[in-house]
Amino acid sequence: MPTNGLSLIIVGADHLNKDKSNRRSEILWSHPGEDVHLVPEPKNPVDPQAVAVFSARGVQIGYVRGVQCQLIRSYLSRGRITGAIFQCAHEDGAVIRLSLDGEPPQLPDNVSDQPVISNKQRRAEEPPDHDGWYPDEIYSEE
């Protein structure tokens, strides 16, 4: 497993791009290992530390989370980030993998090309906390 890498969850996938392209659709078109591009947005009106993430096809798929933007911008300005690839889809948007300090980006060993199951779907599939025995409902006679 690569040691000089960092996986980041990319958010904002539910918003349309300025050109009306759909970020979620672009995430579905992306494959593990494809290049992604990080673009600082110092003129972003919401957050001047914002870092946009674009797919290999040049379509924005979202943003680095706000709490991580300052670190990622610092890494970008110092040339520590030497590559970025799409890792997988995520219920919040996507996960990307960054390589640091001259290493080529590599996917972690546990990445698969399986569709992402949201936490809501996962909870629905979990077995109930009871033994499957349900008492008969009692209806009022009114």
Side-chain angles (χ1 to χ4, degrees), residues 26-128:
E26 185 61 22
I27 289 168
L28 292 174
W29 281 102
S30 298
H31 298 284
E34 279 186 343
D35 286 338
V36 295
H37 308 284
L38 297 140
V39 179
E41 289 187 347
K43 295 184 180 180
N44 186 305
V46 176
D47 182 4
Q49 293 291 324
V51 178
V53 180
F54 291 82
S55 72
R57 287 162 293 285
V59 177
Q60 185 176 2
I61 60 172
Y63 285 93
V64 172
R65 286 185 172 177
V67 297
Q68 298 167 326
C69 284
Q70 188 171 5
L71 174 70
I72 298 306
R73 285 185 63 128
S74 171
Y75 282 179
L76 283 168
S77 68
R78 292 186 287 149
R80 286 203 62 200
I81 296 176
T82 54
I85 56 176
F86 182 84
Q87 184 170 321
C88 63
H90 185 275
E91 64 184 357
D92 290 336
V95 179
I96 63 170
R97 182 82 179 168
L98 305 179
S99 59
L100 303 174
D101 302 327
E103 296 292 323
Q106 294 180 344
L107 293 171
D109 294 335
N110 61 352
V111 173
S112 69
D113 210 0
Q114 299 298 316
V116 172
I117 298 175
S118 71
N119 285 335
K120 185 177 180 182
Q121 290 171 316
R122 193 173 294 115
R123 283 190 299 272
E125 293 174 2
E126 291 175 356

Side-chain angles (χ1 to χ4, degrees), residues 131-138:
D131 61 3
W133 157 243
Y134 296 93
D136 291 338
E137 290 188 40
I138 300 174

